[in-house]
Amino acid sequence: MSPAGGGTGIYLSHGCAEGWYHVNSDWVALEPVDAGHRPTPPGEFSHTVLISNLANRVQPFLRYDLGDSVLLRPDPCPCGNPLPAIRVRGRAGDVLTFPTSSGGHVSLSPLAFGTLFDHTPGIELFQIEQTAPTALRVRILPAAGADPDRAWRTVLQELTRLLAGNGLGHVIVQRAEEPPRQTPGGKYRTVIPLA
């Protein structure tokens, strides 16, 4: 999850051996909130989460509603990392689950992908569709005047890094020729799980 600019590889959060995601709070402010956008206490799942990018000067965003439910750990994580730790419930229908080489599974919520694209120069819109248990198809809409191939190379590099960091280096990432698409109801989904 990368909110920083220019393909620096700085992620919104990273997983630990204890199963928590540690928020890079020097790059992003993360606010778990209830349905009225009031703070949710640590130890309780939020209705949604708001993020503010503290690093991107080109395209900053403040209190962006990700729509994911998260739980902020109320005590220090046993792994020893002092950064705030969260558990992501996500929107159940939008979580991507991948098999691991050891026979287990790793699930990634839209939060894991959302800010990865927000900092990528030349990307107006994106959409990730899981087409097989270990395959992703990525649709991008380049920004006006952007070099689509250069934007794609950055996207591929960051997405590959995110997957590898979660033990999913075996997942195949394919570039789609078509732009992101809307659902029949007109809704735009950034993440589409395997049917």
Side-chain angles (χ1 to χ4, degrees):
M1 294 178 269
S2 180
T8 61
I10 303 299
Y11 292 97
L12 172 66
S13 68
H14 57 279
C16 75
E18 299 293 327
W20 293 86
Y21 284 100
H22 289 274
V23 178
N24 288 328
S25 53
D26 53 342
W27 291 97
V28 68
L30 184 137
E31 301 174 69
V33 294
D34 64 17
H37 285 188
R38 294 177 297 268
T40 301
E44 293 180 19
F45 272 101
S46 66
H47 174 73
T48 188
V49 64
L50 307 176
I51 61 167
S52 297
N53 185 313
L54 305 175
N56 191 339
R57 295 180 183 169
V58 176
Q59 187 180 11
F61 51 91
L62 300 174
R63 303 194 85 208
Y64 178 77
D65 188 341
L66 287 179
D68 287 313
S69 175
V70 301
L71 179 142
L72 180 63
R73 189 179 176 98
D75 56 352
C77 185
C79 78
N81 188 326
L83 293 173
I86 60 170
R87 183 149 289 146
V88 181
R89 182 185 296 163
R91 291 165 280 196
D94 291 344
V95 173
L96 303 185
T97 301
F98 304 92
T100 64
S101 55
S102 63
H105 290 88
V106 171
S107 294
L108 297 175
S109 79
L111 180 64
F113 301 102
T115 57
L116 184 145
F117 289 88
D118 288 339
H119 80 282
T120 305
I123 299 295
E124 183 73 27
L125 292 173
F126 78 94
Q127 189 171 60
I128 298 175
E129 182 174 7
Q130 187 175 17
T131 56
T134 58
L136 296 176
R137 184 174 177 82
V138 181
R139 298 178 183 95
I140 60 172
L141 177 64
D147 178 348
D149 293 327
R150 183 174 181 183
W152 170 250
R153 285 191 299 273
T154 304
V155 164
L156 182 59
Q157 176 185 356
E158 294 296 322
L159 191 51
T160 300
R161 189 178 314 201
L162 172 67
L163 292 166
N166 283 279
L168 300 170
H170 61 288
V171 173
I172 298 165
V173 178
Q174 176 190 22
R175 179 182 180 180
E177 293 301 318
E178 72 275 9
R181 63 181 188 209
Q182 293 179 327
T183 61
K187 184 177 179 184
Y188 169 74
R189 293 172 66 190
T190 56
V191 175
I192 303 171
L194 185 62

